[in-house]
Amino acid sequence: MAIIYNESAKTITLQTKNTTYQMKIGNLDYLLHLYYGSSVPDIDMSYQIKQYDRGFSGNPYESRNARTFSLDAQPQEFSTQQQGDFRTTSIEVVNSDGSYSYHGKTAGYKITSGKYQLDTLPCVFARDTDTVSSLEVTLCDGASDVQVVLLYSVFEEADIITRAVKVVNRGTGSIQLKKIMSVCLDFLNGSGFDLVSLPGRYGQERQVERQPMTHHIHNIGSVRGSSSHQQNPFVILCDREATEDHGRCYGFSLMYSGNFLTEVELDQYDQLRLVMGIGPKQFVYQLAPGETFEGPEVVMAFSEHGLTGLSHLYHDFYRTNLCRSKFVSEVERPVLINSWEAAFMDFDDVKLVKIAKAAKNMGVDLLVMDDGWFGKRDDDNSGLGDWYVNKDKIRCGLHKLVEQINALDMKFGIWFEPEMVSEDSDLYRAHPEWAMQIPGRHAVRSRNQIALDMSRREVQDYVIEKVNGILDDANIYYVKWDINRSLADIWSNALPAEKQGEVYHRYVLGLYRVMDEIILTHPDILFEGCSGGGGRYDPAMLHYYPQYWVSDNNHPIDRLKLHYGTSFVYPTCTMGAHISDSGKFVSLETKAVVAMCGTFGYELDATHLSKEEQEICKEQSDRFRKYQHITFKGDFYRLTDPFKVGNMTAWQHVTKDKDESLLSVVVTNLTCNGPQEYIRAKGLDPGAMYSINGSKETYSGAALMSAGLPIDREVPEYSAFQFHLVRERCTV
Ligand code: GLA
């Protein structure tokens, strides 16, 4: 069993293959955190804790005259409220008597085999082949009888520990939950940490920032009702000296798609605390006696092999334990062409068939009909919510259109934005009360659309019925699910005044129910998530969608940074990447090399391409299929950092058996008569010989990794190279 309770030391130790995590039922039954990091045997790590009389740091009443025990200076497993710990809280409640206080002491623990489940929120899962055990530790506040249940699952082989939390009101009065974090992790010595996060904006999602920890509370989160373009629910804490290959790195990835918060506090004694969970903005959840609240799961990983080691743990785990869709590993992803940048909303059935015919010559498998096919939708001012075919555009009807595409031996995909409504729509005219707007106030507009109140059951049912109606009516192979605004005017007409503080979270719960009912009931459809590009790219969404649109920004040079940032936690097989007209001075070949660091497809008017260009695309589509087993299943290496000044951006995929690799390089800058550049490969077998792009000569893996590969510099700017390395088999 990977979870061990030591009776005499009162420690609970969680062991994965390479990591150890330990807590202790300490003084006065407070639950202390002792360790998370590289494997250590099951010893009591509490020798690290020293106690002093710290001025202005309160002592629990039961300590009597002893002044050396203060929660303000002890590492805690779950920081509580008004207990003399003045650092970041993990829970904040208003009790039924109006007091703001939560004193949690350990009331019990349970160790079980298998993965815990949450009833209301998506979680990672254990496969039959995984060895997983779980721990439940219950904290109880003696005065209110409110329990906090800390949940842990240990994935031994994967080196992953998940955490989640439940709050159970066993008292006699209602309480208000104002903050509940899913994870709290204390480090006794935190002064040497850097924090890596993925901030961004529309068109530039998941850029990378790294900052040294100082004596502040560093706050990373979203208040936009979705996990957002602006921040991602993923952070890394790493040694200041950590590089791609060396150093300790801790990852925290939150499975939640609404407001979130990560707080990292370096305290007065250089101890560091990280908490992560649902964003507390406008969050006030009423818990009546007997009710339970669930906080989302955090997937934690630790690697002492640098940022690459950490990324590999997430890539491997998210490829196998996050999404059950058959498209994750059993079925090859199709090469698609999307109508958006080809025609925007200016299309009809005839035009779509023409694009599909041209795309067929390009080796494309799937035509996606993007925004503009439904209701009255010639621009983005109307039509959202009216999920029936616009007969002026699709004159032959959806059935016939799909049949025509299928007759070309191509598959058909369709776009929805199910969570939104236009004021100019039949849906809004029939149900203005379903739109999220505060009575007596005008709603904030964004792209001239309003969010539907997804917390309402009848709204969820409407969306389920309409979308499923279309999916069941025609031979749909693929769906792109979009959301194109941040939430504002948080209000539900279906809830009383005192429950309006629940709407942000109820929206997310409603959305998950809708996705359960649409996505999980259509296992043969490939779903791709989208939010004005990559605005809601989080693991909870990837629980449903095997792939997610990285960004509306298709410029191949900008994409180098987008793919780089995204790769810190999300694997290549999730990254929606297309070739479009964006990037006029960049060749089709460079665009293809960049898009092969993702799910690959086209987003342009194929009828405008010459025969030669179509043939080039056909070769690219074939090449993507040929290399898919390397890019989607192999290990990913960031060989250069596109945020640093340099002349090349390079990355590499290597199959698990190290037999094959795809090393990609884009020349981003060429100085006149400059030095020769070398790119050093990673992840190869040093003892093996590799051929490159079918060459007769072979090169030693060790040499390619230590001396590197010379990159031809007599090429136009923005040229790309793709080196396919194959291990030479000994034939004797
Ligand atoms: C968003 C998406 C685009 C496209 C448009 C359609 O911006 O990111 O790919 O689907 O919506 O309105």
Side-chain angles (χ1 to χ4, degrees), residues 340 370-371 415 447 480 482 484 530 532-533 549 552:
W340 183 242
D370 207 283
D371 193 356
W415 178 95
R447 214 195 189 200
K480 178 174 170 189
D482 211 339
N484 277 314
C530 178
W549 187 222
D552 273 355

Side-chain angles (χ1 to χ4, degrees), residues 202 205 229 338 340-341 344-345 370-372 374 377 380 384 415-417 447 449 480 482-484 529-535 549 551-554 578 603:
Y202 172 75
E205 298 87 338
H229 301 78
N338 181 296
W340 183 242
E341 289 189 30
F344 295 100
M345 295 185 201
D370 207 283
D371 193 356
F374 52 88
R377 186 77 171 164
D380 54 19
L384 289 171
W415 178 95
F416 287 99
E417 195 176 351
R447 214 195 189 200
Q449 60 191 55
K480 178 174 170 189
D482 211 339
I483 167 173
N484 277 314
C530 178
S531 173
W549 187 222
S551 180
D552 273 355
N553 183 350
N554 278 316
H578 298 166
E603 185 135 352

Side-chain angles (χ1 to χ4, degrees), residues 481-495:
W481 184 311
D482 211 339
I483 167 173
N484 277 314
R485 66 162 290 174
S486 305
L487 303 188
D489 307 287
I490 303 307
W491 176 268
S492 174
N493 282 307
L495 291 171

Side-chain angles (χ1 to χ4, degrees), residues 223-234:
V223 294
R224 293 170 175 266
S226 97
S227 46
S228 88
H229 301 78
Q230 286 71 17
Q231 294 290 350
N232 196 265
F234 174 71

Side-chain angles (χ1 to χ4, degrees), residues 28-31 59-62 71 76 78-85 91-93 95 99-107 138-148:
L28 304 171
D29 287 338
Y30 289 110
L31 190 63
N59 316 110
Y61 186 79
E62 304 93 308
L71 294 177
Q76 294 186 62
F78 190 78
S79 57
T80 54
Q81 182 188 13
Q82 301 249 38
Q83 281 189 292
D85 182 352
I91 182 168
E92 288 178 16
V93 297
N95 294 303
S99 60
Y100 290 71
S101 184
Y102 187 83
H103 288 198
K105 289 196 176 184
T106 319
T138 302
L139 307 179
C140 190
D141 178 292
S144 64
D145 212 6
V146 172
Q147 288 188 343
V148 169

